[in-house]
Amino acid sequence: MKIPSLLLRFPRCYFSRRTYSVNFGFASRADFLGAQSLESAHRCHTKWICSSNCLRRELCQQAAPEQQAEGLSDREQRLVDRLYHGLIQRHRASLAEAITLIESTHSGKKKVAQVLLQKVLSYHREQEKLNQGKPLAFRVGLSGPPGAGKSTFIECFGKMLTERNHKVSVLAVDPSSSTSGGSLLGDKTRMTELSRDMNAYIRPSPTSGTLGGVTRTTNEAILLCEGGGYDIVLVETVGVGQSEFAVADMVDMFILLLPPAGGDELQGIKRGIIEMADLVAINKADGDLVVPARRIQAEYISAMKLLHKRSKVWRPKVMRISAKTGEGISDVWDKMSEFRDLMLTSGELLAKRRKQQKVWMWNLIQENMLEHFRSHLAVKDKIPLLEEKVLRGVLSPGLAADLLLKAFKDGL
Ligand SMILES: Nc1nc2c(ncn2[C@@H]2O[C@H](COP(=O)(O)OP(=O)(O)OP(=O)(O)O)[C@@H](O)[C@H]2O)c(=O)[nH]1
């Protein structure tokens, strides 16, 4: 859309505020006049068109990726085909490359990733049909405070599963690593034996991005792992922060791993997380720690009786285990299998997965909208000033939010 020369010559006349905002992308006539030169006016305007188009394009990509296949270049299409075939032939290198692709923030790569995902999803649906509609993989979330023994547990549990002919993938979600610059959870030195096992695949979460971004990539990585033939997908997260809530919303079963420590030592663990747990495993129940582990187990059993019942067929269990000696690990798997069977036969598992799809969609919308809001010309420059006023206490957060929202709406 070209800005009419009349507007450039007579910016104060002829045009209503609505014309400036709706048609030309400026919050107001004053904003247009604020654009210092003709060139910058054009630049602002082009940027506005680009950002609107980007959002539109991104939403379209997510809504109907199959249509995007038409928009791919030959090279991109060849990449999709190569990764897709590698994935379904269970090549680990293709899975790794595909996950790197979905983690990319580059818009071109994002487009390719969505087409690949759509292909994997179709393949998945076919496979599930052949499996009488039952899910092919069991998605398990594992959370616990630092030092609870998560990696020791995964190493021991994962090895037990691969020995029983399962294929296990471990996705480590650690949004806090965006500040430290490295993903602690995904560090393979934490699970040395399992990372060498050909039937296991360990993958750190992206080391940058928002929680929303991590949610998207983890959800998509789960689908890719399933497409790659992994029948158990373990999503590990550190139990302090918000990531465990996001993870609980993308798995079939959520397990909380706790050390044999009570009250004060577990301050970092939020009550809400305990409510999400389908199984609580008190780890380190060995040697001198057996007695405290028993006590903590009893405490959790009584505390969990008071929690709101989330399933008609399952009551959360509290077990004692030792990831170091391996004691109780196969019992954990038995309980997990029992959970899965009950949830499947009752229909609760499929209902949960469907609900999760909706949550995922809204998470994506929220993330995209927020990004669009923050970068919108009508609010971008106002944000620092209003934030500063809120920090100084001269403006209430509610009023600041209202002002920004109004500027955004006017600028649409
Ligand atoms: N006695 C005993 N020690 C254990 C057990 N499991 C883990 N540990 C020890 O607890 C410490 C922490 O174990 P990790 O597996 O690294 O714990 P984590 O939860 O992965 O910790 P982060 O990597 O900090 O998140 C290590 O020194 C382990 O050897 C267990 O079952 N018994």
Side-chain angles (χ1 to χ4, degrees):
M1 195 197 311
K2 200 169 174 305
I3 301 178
S5 54
L6 199 62
L7 177 65
L8 293 169
R9 284 175 60 201
F10 304 106
R12 283 174 204 283
C13 330
Y14 301 112
F15 295 98
S16 68
R17 185 159 181 263
R18 191 176 150 73
T19 313
Y20 280 91
S21 63
V22 176
N23 292 344
F24 305 115
F26 295 100
S28 62
R29 188 176 358 210
D31 267 23
F32 179 79
L33 291 170
Q36 295 194 338
S37 63
L38 202 68
E39 201 198 349
S40 73
H42 274 297
R43 232 189 356 252
C44 281
H45 183 243
T46 315
K47 216 166 152 194
W48 173 76
I49 291 178
C50 287
S51 72
S52 312
N53 286 348
C54 265
L55 180 73
R56 218 172 293 138
R57 238 192 341 260
E58 208 155 289
L59 292 175
C60 284
Q61 266 171 31
Q62 283 147 13
E66 63 276 358
Q67 290 167 7
Q68 295 294 321
E70 289 163 22
L72 295 189
S73 67
D74 285 352
R75 213 171 123 251
E76 288 171 335
Q77 192 59 56
R78 277 199 303 277
L79 175 66
V80 169
D81 292 342
R82 181 171 64 74
L83 291 180
Y84 172 73
H85 287 114
L87 203 68
I88 63 170
Q89 283 163 17
R90 306 187 167 192
H91 296 160
R92 282 205 319 181
S94 302
L95 175 61
E97 204 179 333
I99 297 182
T100 305
L101 189 69
I102 54 149
E103 285 171 359
S104 172
T105 48
H106 182 275
S107 65
K109 287 190 181 159
K110 266 172 132 174
K111 186 172 76 176
V112 180
Q114 291 305 319
V115 177
L116 174 66
L117 259 181
Q118 189 61 24
K119 272 186 93 134
V120 176
L121 266 176
S122 310
Y123 169 76
H124 222 260
R125 272 196 293 269
E126 289 303 312
Q127 295 294 307
E128 281 190 352
K129 261 188 220 154
L130 296 175
N131 198 31
Q132 283 123 29
K134 287 188 203 145
L136 296 170
F138 189 21
R139 304 170 184 169
V140 182
L142 177 79
S143 186
K150 293 181 294 300
S151 47
T152 315
F153 172 79
I154 295 173
E155 174 102 326
C156 180
F157 183 66
K159 288 296 292 173
M160 180 198 75
L161 292 176
T162 55
E163 275 160 21
R164 297 183 186 191
N165 293 326
H166 289 287
K167 274 177 73 94
V168 184
S169 61
V170 181
L171 300 169
V173 176
D174 183 8
S176 60
S177 61
S178 56
T179 44
S180 64
S183 184
L184 198 66
L185 284 183
D187 184 352
K188 285 192 181 163
T189 54
R190 297 167 76 243
M191 303 158 208
T192 41
E193 272 194 53
L194 195 64
S195 61
R196 283 199 297 264
D197 191 323
M198 286 316 285
N199 283 319
Y201 175 75
I202 301 173
R203 173 83 184 197
S205 73
T207 51
S208 64
T210 57
L211 183 62
V214 172
T215 309
R216 178 178 66 81
T217 48
T218 310
N219 262 310
E220 293 176 352
I222 291 176
L223 289 179
L224 293 176
C225 288
E226 294 178 3
Y230 290 85
D231 62 331
I232 295 166
V233 183
L234 209 58
V235 187
E236 181 197 6
T237 178
V238 67
V240 281
Q242 290 299 314
S243 60
E244 57 278 3
F245 291 98
V247 167
D249 257 331
M250 52 178 105
V251 292
D252 302 327
M253 183 174 196
F254 188 67
I255 298 179
L256 189 61
L257 195 74
L258 296 177
D264 293 349
E265 289 142 287
L266 290 183
Q267 267 179 359
I269 285 282
K270 296 195 183 77
R271 197 182 122 85
I273 309 167
I274 295 160
E275 285 173 17
M276 323 271 308
D278 299 302
L279 193 155
V280 175
I282 314 290
N283 191 28
K284 308 193 186 185
D286 49 50
D288 294 347
L289 294 171
V290 171
V291 177
R294 270 206 198 109
R295 199 190 66 237
I296 300 295
Q297 182 188 20
E299 277 177 20
Y300 273 90
I301 290 176
S302 30
M304 290 182 85
K305 278 191 189 136
L306 306 174
L307 296 180
H308 169 70
K309 207 171 168 217
R310 283 179 303 123
S311 159
K312 287 201 177 85
V313 292
W314 181 259
R315 279 210 78 90
K317 306 281 180 288
V318 185
M319 304 178 74
R320 256 180 300 128
I321 59 162
S322 167
K324 203 169 179 179
T325 64
E327 219 177 306
I329 301 290
S330 70
D331 298 337
V332 167
W333 177 237
D334 292 344
K335 278 279 169 269
M336 288 167 71
S337 308
E338 190 186 326
F339 171 89
R340 189 188 190 196
D341 293 344
L342 283 170
M343 294 291 279
L344 251 177
T345 42
S346 66
E348 280 192 33
L349 190 76
L350 290 180
K352 190 174 182 176
R353 282 196 176 190
R354 272 198 290 271
K355 209 170 124 204
Q356 287 171 348
Q357 296 285 316
K358 207 168 100 182
V359 173
W360 181 7
M361 180 190 86
W362 280 106
N363 280 343
L364 281 177
I365 292 176
Q366 245 173 11
E367 193 201 339
N368 275 302
M369 289 305 291
L370 199 64
E371 205 180 299
H372 183 60
F373 179 85
R374 284 179 185 280
S375 58
H376 195 280
L377 275 181
V379 290
K380 200 169 126 196
D381 297 340
K382 295 187 177 71
I383 292 175
L385 183 71
L386 289 177
E387 268 182 355
E388 197 247 331
K389 282 188 175 173
V390 170
L391 282 177
R392 277 197 291 125
V394 293
L395 189 67
S396 76
L399 191 55
D402 281 349
L403 288 171
L404 286 174
L405 286 165
K406 187 172 181 316
F408 179 73
K409 275 189 226 150
D410 291 348
L412 280 178

